[in-house]
Amino acid sequence: MLEILEKINGVLWGAPSLILLSGTGLFLTFVLKGMQFTKLLHAFKLAFVPDKSQDDSEGDISNFKALMTSLAGMIGNGNIAGVATAVTLGGPGAVFWMWVVGLLGMTTKYAEALLAMKYREQNANGEYSSGPMYYIEKGLGSRYKFLAVAFAMFGAFASLGIGNSVQSNTIADVMTNSFNVSGFITGIILAILISLIIFGGLKRISNVAGVFVPMMAIFYIGAAVTIILINYDKIIPAFGLIFQYAFTPVSAAGGFTGIMVMQAVQNGVSKGIFSNEAGLGTVALISGNAKSGHPAIQALVAMTGTFIVTIVVCTMTALVLLVTGYWDPSGGLLSGVSHDPKLEAGALTSVAFGSSLGMLGEYVVSLSVIFFGFSTIIAWFVYGAKCFEYLFGVKYVMLYGVIYVAATFLGTVADLRTVWLFADVANAMMMIPNLIGILLLYKVVKEETEDYFKPSLRKVS
């Protein structure tokens, strides 16, 4: 079973899928005239400067809280272990390609959020429901409903795997290894905390995310910046490594057996997508709840999330590994810093932090894994609940909540190798119908964008 799943996963996340994801971002960048560059400052203003005029708009939560909830799902262990994996497998050049896919993914995120707002609908409880399943069915017609159903099915499954039990399993491992707390105890605590939050409804979830995510990001980024400043003389050489090995192979030595540029590209692209979720459609599952007077407003706000995750958070992790010399999996033959070559990605990041901050640095990584994983569990409940609601109706969402809490506990005590693979497959199967929907509805995205930026309506910086 594991071998079969590994082969399926290899095909689904192989070169064709990565080309499709990156190609969609490139196509939308052309269609939208590079708006992720020209409108970025305006997007950040919409995200972080309070606009009272939006308070009276239809929706359930503010643009800021919608962004924080989506960031809760994106800022996760992919920003720690995922980045380290990309650098150790693909060399420093993988960071460059992670930036590329992040910048291209900003337009994909924009399109997802805009379509979510455009085709959202109110459920029986008066809350808004949105997501790829709604814009596929309503935007493309009933003949495409099978794609909408497929997205919802795989989205619901993925929420129990990569968004929940896999995260709780990682948290349990850290609690055992760093704080000597058993997985069973961790599972009970997590199940109670998650229940208190998710059964309080979307507004409680968004309120928690609105406080938790900024605090969590500042904590991790602050520690990373401190390490980078301590090693300030290596900052420019670190960027030199990134640009040098983005286009030239890493010389064969030690743990590296001659990493080609293609490996840097593949690892950078795949881990970049894993960290920012551009193309998976997850941001569309929360964006429709935002109070926005125009679909493009929330879309611009959502776009900033990809920038924050990939260009800021992931870059901080990468720079820590590079300036401390812990990017070399061979144990120091290339970087000159000696370490155990058997260290895995997450552990390597921990050691890199500890090399400058001592035991405090290692605790920073451990606590970040716990906080990041916890926030991901909260956000993915929203995603899975939206999918479950589409399939079975809003009255069964409570049942899904019970299943979700159970999956949180089971994740802390179970062997999740099979769940990991199923979740990866489910993520890929979410991506395919979502990208089909976006590409077929690109004219709607273009028209709504042009409508918002009409000079006659408003002057936009």
Side-chain angles (χ1 to χ4, degrees):
M1 175 65 75
L2 286 173
E3 289 180 2
I4 293 173
L5 284 174
E6 285 174 352
K7 290 180 180 179
I8 294 173
N9 194 47
V11 172
L12 289 174
W13 284 107
S17 293
L18 299 181
I19 291 171
L20 175 61
L21 278 161
S22 301
T24 300
L26 185 61
F27 172 71
L28 290 172
T29 296
F30 174 77
V31 169
L32 300 174
K33 301 177 182 178
M35 68 177 304
Q36 70 266 52
F37 306 106
T38 61
K39 307 300 182 185
L40 183 59
L41 291 178
H42 178 63
F44 270 103
K45 180 181 178 181
L46 290 173
F48 294 101
V49 178
D51 185 357
K52 295 295 182 182
S53 66
Q54 298 299 314
D55 292 346
D56 296 328
S57 301
E58 294 184 356
D60 305 309
I61 56 178
S62 67
N63 285 298
F64 174 77
K65 288 182 178 178
L67 173 63
M68 290 301 106
T69 305
S70 67
L71 280 175
M74 286 188 286
I75 299 180
N77 294 318
N79 306 119
I80 298 176
V83 174
T85 300
V87 173
T88 54
L89 293 182
V95 180
F96 175 84
W97 298 108
M98 192 177 292
W99 291 339
V100 170
V101 76
L103 292 171
L104 294 178
M106 289 173 70
T107 55
T108 307
K109 271 287 174 72
Y110 174 88
E112 291 172 341
L114 186 147
L115 292 172
M117 290 292 296
K118 174 75 174 177
Y119 294 105
R120 67 181 181 175
E121 60 181 47
Q122 280 186 296
N123 61 27
N125 292 336
E127 291 183 345
Y128 281 93
S129 298
S130 65
M133 54 279 196
Y134 291 98
Y135 55 71
I136 289 173
E137 182 179 354
K138 296 174 70 174
L140 298 177
S142 58
R143 61 178 177 168
Y144 288 92
K145 185 171 182 177
F146 73 98
L147 287 177
V149 172
F151 175 89
M153 287 176 58
F154 287 109
F157 184 86
S159 71
L160 298 174
I162 199 70
N164 185 352
S165 54
V166 166
Q167 301 296 326
S168 63
N169 184 265
T170 303
I171 292 172
D173 284 344
V174 171
M175 290 295 290
T176 299
N177 295 328
S178 298
F179 305 104
N180 200 29
V181 177
S182 71
F184 182 83
I185 297 299
T186 300
I188 294 295
I189 294 172
L190 278 178
I192 293 172
L193 292 176
I194 294 299
S195 297
L196 291 174
I197 295 171
I198 67 174
F199 290 121
L202 178 61
K203 291 186 177 180
R204 181 178 295 177
I205 293 172
S206 66
N207 286 336
V208 171
V211 174
F212 196 71
V213 172
M215 177 187 70
M216 175 182 67
I218 291 171
F219 174 72
Y220 182 74
I221 293 173
V225 169
T226 301
I227 294 171
I228 293 168
L229 292 177
I230 290 173
N231 299 275
Y232 68 92
D233 57 321
K234 298 175 184 175
I235 296 175
I236 294 177
F239 278 102
L241 288 172
I242 291 171
F243 289 106
Q244 176 186 351
Y245 291 124
F247 303 99
T248 58
V250 178
S251 300
F256 287 107
T257 55
I259 290 181
M260 302 305 292
V261 175
M262 185 54 65
Q263 289 174 275
V265 174
Q266 184 175 2
N267 280 282
V269 171
S270 62
K271 295 304 181 290
I273 292 167
F274 178 71
S275 68
N276 62 45
E277 299 177 7
L280 296 186
T282 51
V283 75
L285 295 164
I286 185 64
S287 291
N289 293 95
K291 295 180 179 180
S292 292
H294 193 285
I297 294 176
Q298 170 54 206
L300 286 163
V301 171
M303 185 177 76
T304 65
T306 303
F307 184 91
I308 292 169
V309 169
T310 305
I311 307 301
V312 179
V313 181
C314 288
T315 299
M316 291 297 102
T317 300
L319 285 177
V320 167
L321 290 167
L322 293 174
V323 301
T324 59
Y326 282 89
W327 60 272
D328 172 19
S330 67
L333 294 180
L334 294 178
S335 65
V337 174
S338 178
H339 63 83
D340 184 355
K342 296 180 181 179
L343 287 175
E344 296 182 355
L348 198 62
T349 305
S350 180
V351 172
F353 271 74
S355 68
S356 292
L357 299 180
M359 188 62 70
L360 174 62
E362 297 189 20
Y363 277 126
V364 165
V365 175
S366 296
L367 291 173
S368 294
V369 168
I370 294 169
F371 291 155
F372 288 176
F374 184 76
S375 68
T376 299
I377 294 173
I378 294 171
W380 271 84
F381 168 77
V382 177
Y383 304 157
K386 298 286 186 182
C387 293
F388 206 82
E389 176 187 327
Y390 178 82
L391 293 170
F392 303 107
V394 68
K395 64 182 180 179
Y396 290 104
V397 170
M398 183 68 72
L399 171 62
Y400 170 77
V402 174
I403 296 172
Y404 198 80
V405 172
T408 303
F409 174 77
L410 290 174
T412 62
V413 296
D415 181 354
L416 295 184
R417 286 178 298 172
T418 304
V419 175
W420 259 108
L421 286 169
F422 267 119
D424 279 347
V425 170
N427 276 350
M429 297 305 290
M430 291 169 62
M431 171 193 69
I432 294 170
N434 179 51
L435 291 180
I436 291 173
I438 290 173
L439 290 171
L440 293 178
L441 291 169
Y442 84 92
K443 289 184 178 179
V444 176
V445 176
K446 185 173 183 290
E447 290 169 0
E448 289 289 342
T449 302
E450 291 174 347
D451 177 69
Y452 176 72
F453 286 107
K454 278 181 182 177
S456 59
L457 292 181
R458 58 176 61 82
K459 182 180 179 181
V460 178
S461 58

